[in-house]
Amino acid sequence: MPDSAYIFDAVRTPRSKGKAGGSLNEVKPVALAAGLLKGLQSRHDLDTARIDDVILGCTAPVSEQGSCIAKAATQFANWDQSVPAFQLDRFCASGLEAVNIAAAKVSSGQEDLIVAGGVESMSRVPIGSAGGPMFADPEFVINHSSVPQGIGADLIATLDGYRREDVDAYALESQRRASQARDNGWFDGSVIPVVDNNGLPILERDDYIRADTSLQTLASLKPAFAKMAAMGMDQMAISRYPDVERIEHVHTPGNSSGIVDGAAAVMIGSEQAGKDIGLTPRGRIVAVAVLACDPVIMLTGPGPAAKKCLAKAGLNVCDIDLWEINEAFAAVAMRYMRDLGIDHEVTNVNGGAIAMGHPLGATGAMLVSTMLDELERRSLKRGMLSLCVGGGMGISTLIERV
């Protein structure tokens, strides 16, 4: 990038079950996002008129999340009326795409200070509410073999030889790492509690993590996508992968990402903007990349995206200290590590979406705070963030601590 885009802060809400009964079900999505904007303002005594734009990812921009929820959030937070905003949807990459667009705007000199992130209240606006041809139009689905993502995940596991025991073991470790990080307070610096209208706390820490998970409980869960497979989805996928005789359905609710509510916000700006208002950079966005692979298997894009990002930065795998891959499914993370030749010891070191959940439009931006906090805690330099994306896309962002 021509000029550096600096990360001045990265915050998120806690995550909670994205269904009725979840701790955040009572909170409107606009309030989830606005709470973070208020938090940033308070943490930095911020004159919000200095913000050039607010960009929020959201994969279901309808109902309570419709009508440009990003602009609604700025008003709900009582930010200066001069602050514009917009919302975008690149499926699960939406939050990170918002960050990347903000970085591009700052690097180009178009704007100086932006807040980017995402919001998803999956308990109030259920997954799939936005509809669309990719998974809801029979003509599109049949002509393009557009199978559900879980079928793609099971196809990856079948092709790579990951057994049920393998993906369950990965899931158990995600729970262990996330529990350890939460209980040791490693997330606390970036988590802004969700409060009610009286300022009383609704949720202060992630409560989706299941610290008591065992291999026995994971093994007892039934495959999540077997019924879809029996409806012809397996045959559609196999028609594109004829060397596969039978897809092994190994993914369950226990080794797949959880449905949760949550939001994230990252403040990105130029060096001069930081100096002007007294902000000290915590990190720098080094390079970004997005691409698309086979839309049938759908979830193999993260590894190639990370390689593209490395090439843009002129770096190699050995130059990266820590890696974050969104755990949409266990096999996605395992394929990512295989593609890049990296070890689990440096990947998702504090667990991932299998344990903490995946608030679709917000997750990518959440990874920024997770990575930045851990780079600081370990006094390391560079981290790569990656997500698989619907339609076969993959996205990556390389950041470094400053």
Side-chain angles (χ1 to χ4, degrees), residues 84-218:
F86 72 96
Q87 143 267 312
L88 62 85
D89 175 16
R90 196 194 286 276
F91 294 130
C92 299
S94 299
L96 193 58
E97 183 62 37
V99 169
N100 292 353
I101 288 175
K105 285 189 168 193
V106 168
S107 295
S108 70
Q110 180 180 349
E111 292 175 346
D112 299 313
L113 193 62
I114 300 174
V115 172
V119 60
E120 206 80 45
S121 178
M122 301 180 76
S123 67
R124 298 173 72 104
V125 186
I127 188 171
S129 294
M134 192 168 289
F135 303 110
D137 179 357
E139 180 185 10
F140 187 100
V141 170
I142 293 170
N143 289 344
H144 297 277
S145 297
S146 187
V147 300
Q149 291 189 359
I151 301 295
D154 285 336
L155 179 55
I156 291 172
T158 301
L159 290 168
D160 289 359
Y162 304 138
R163 301 167 302 163
R164 172 68 181 272
E165 294 81 2
D166 299 325
V167 291
D168 279 353
Y170 181 92
L172 182 65
E173 182 62 9
S174 180
Q175 294 283 359
R176 187 195 70 77
R177 294 181 181 192
S179 297
Q180 175 182 256
R182 180 193 60 186
D183 296 346
N184 282 301
W186 297 343
F187 298 142
D188 290 354
S190 293
V191 171
I192 292 181
V194 178
V195 300
D196 63 17
N197 291 334
N198 297 313
L200 298 175
I202 294 172
L203 184 65
E204 298 180 289
R205 306 179 95 189
D206 298 301
D207 70 357
Y208 188 78
I209 301 167
R210 297 173 176 84
D212 60 349
T213 300
S214 68
L215 284 177
Q216 289 73 28
T217 57
L218 289 171

Side-chain angles (χ1 to χ4, degrees), residues 352-371:
I354 289 173
M356 292 183 283
H358 175 23
L360 304 178
T363 304
M366 286 184 166
L367 296 185
V368 177
S369 65
T370 300
M371 177 62 79

Side-chain angles (χ1 to χ4, degrees), residues 145 147 151 155 232-249 296:
S145 297
V147 300
I151 301 295
L155 179 55
M233 295 300 175
D234 271 11
Q235 285 78 4
M236 289 173 60
I238 290 173
S239 70
R240 300 298 182 95
Y241 289 83
D243 291 341
V244 175
E245 182 177 340
R246 178 176 179 269
I247 296 176
E248 298 295 332
H249 293 285
V296 178

Side-chain angles (χ1 to χ4, degrees), residues 291-374:
L291 49 69
C293 299
D294 173 30
V296 178
I297 201 169
M298 196 177 299
L299 307 173
T300 57
K307 291 178 181 179
K308 181 178 179 180
C309 196
L310 286 172
K312 284 179 170 290
L315 297 172
N316 298 308
V317 169
C318 62
D319 296 314
I320 308 304
D321 297 303
L322 296 175
W323 305 76
E324 280 286 331
I325 170 66
N326 181 41
E327 293 172 350
F329 302 92
V332 170
M334 296 166 77
R335 164 65 74 91
Y336 181 75
M337 292 187 288
R338 176 179 289 190
D339 281 349
L340 293 161
I342 57 178
D343 192 87
H344 200 184
E345 288 302 309
V346 294
T347 308
N348 291 16
V349 295
N350 288 330
I354 289 173
M356 292 183 283
H358 175 23
L360 304 178
T363 304
M366 286 184 166
L367 296 185
V368 177
S369 65
T370 300
M371 177 62 79
L372 197 54
D373 285 348
E374 195 62 16

Side-chain angles (χ1 to χ4, degrees), residues 6-12 95-100 116-117 190 264-268 282-285 324 362-376 383-387 397-399:
Y6 289 98
I7 303 168
F8 294 110
D9 206 357
V11 297
R12 67 173 178 89
L96 193 58
E97 183 62 37
V99 169
N100 292 353
S190 293
V266 183
M267 188 155 55
I268 299 167
R282 296 178 59 197
R284 182 173 74 91
I285 296 176
E324 280 286 331
T363 304
M366 286 184 166
L367 296 185
V368 177
S369 65
T370 300
M371 177 62 79
L372 197 54
D373 285 348
E374 195 62 16
L375 289 174
E376 291 173 346
M384 181 73 79
L385 319 173
S386 303
L387 297 93
T397 302
L398 175 60
I399 68 172

Side-chain angles (χ1 to χ4, degrees), residues 247-283:
I247 296 176
E248 298 295 332
H249 293 285
V250 299
H251 286 96
T252 71
N255 55 42
S256 306
S257 57
I259 294 173
V260 297
D261 298 335
V266 183
M267 188 155 55
I268 299 167
S270 66
E271 183 177 18
Q272 188 59 51
K275 290 179 179 178
D276 289 345
I277 58 177
L279 295 174
T280 301
R282 296 178 59 197

